[in-house]
Amino acid sequence: MPRRPPRTLRAAVPARQSDGAVSTLLISACPGPSVCGAVHTYLFVDGLEVVARSDNRMAGLAPGQLLRPGGPLYPTDTPRHVEVAAQQQPEPGPDRLTVRIQLRGGTVIWSDLMYPGPDGRVVEEVRFSLEQYVGEIERAYAALEGC
């Protein structure tokens, strides 16, 4: 069966810094049934949904799993690989999408990526300011508690 091209999901993001070195993270969650089969997380980097662009068979893991305080998306000085999505299509399967996350000074680095950027070039690494990154995780987690 031929592989479908990645679907393009975009989110509005704040203006980026002029040097282009720092990306912006935006997190959203699918509400689950009636919209789709289960609750899952969307991870937008500079307005592009990373999971779908990396592998359109995948869906982000549950927000409660990824976003909980001290959870897997929180950066540490020691680099680690974090599962952010699991295969859902054509049916749930063993494949996982992982991201290498590391804190270096005031910068959170995601590496071992491979998704098409807005210009079609492969994105292999992105960097976030620690303040924006942690603030977005906390905002998204707080939004879950309101559901």
Side-chain angles (χ1 to χ4, degrees):
M1 177 177 202
R3 196 164 172 188
R4 296 185 320 208
R7 57 190 168 147
T8 301
L9 295 176
R10 288 187 153 288
V13 295
R16 291 181 62 188
Q17 293 186 3
S18 60
D19 65 3
V22 177
S23 291
T24 301
L25 178 67
L26 178 68
I27 301 171
S28 183
C30 173
S34 67
V35 174
C36 64
V39 176
H40 60 272
T41 306
Y42 291 109
L43 301 169
F44 293 92
V45 174
D46 299 329
L48 300 175
E49 208 281 317
V50 173
V51 172
R53 292 182 74 79
S54 296
D55 187 332
N56 63 7
R57 301 171 307 146
M58 302 282 174
L61 299 180
Q65 179 181 351
L66 288 176
L67 307 177
R68 70 182 186 275
L73 287 183
Y74 281 84
T76 62
D77 292 331
T78 304
R80 67 181 192 281
H81 283 89
V82 174
E83 289 184 3
V84 295
Q87 179 182 334
Q88 297 299 308
Q89 296 178 12
E91 59 188 48
D95 288 346
R96 299 287 185 261
L97 180 64
T98 61
V99 174
R100 184 176 182 260
I101 299 175
Q102 178 181 7
L103 176 62
R104 189 176 302 151
T107 303
V108 178
I109 303 167
W110 281 12
S111 56
D112 294 349
L113 301 169
M114 188 170 283
Y115 67 90
D119 60 0
R121 295 182 191 174
V122 175
V123 175
E124 296 176 345
E125 180 177 283
V126 291
R127 295 169 181 258
F128 307 98
S129 77
L130 177 61
E131 183 178 332
Q132 189 277 326
Y133 181 87
V134 172
E136 179 58 15
I137 293 171
E138 291 173 349
R139 182 210 58 82
Y141 186 76
L144 289 175
E145 293 178 336
C147 294

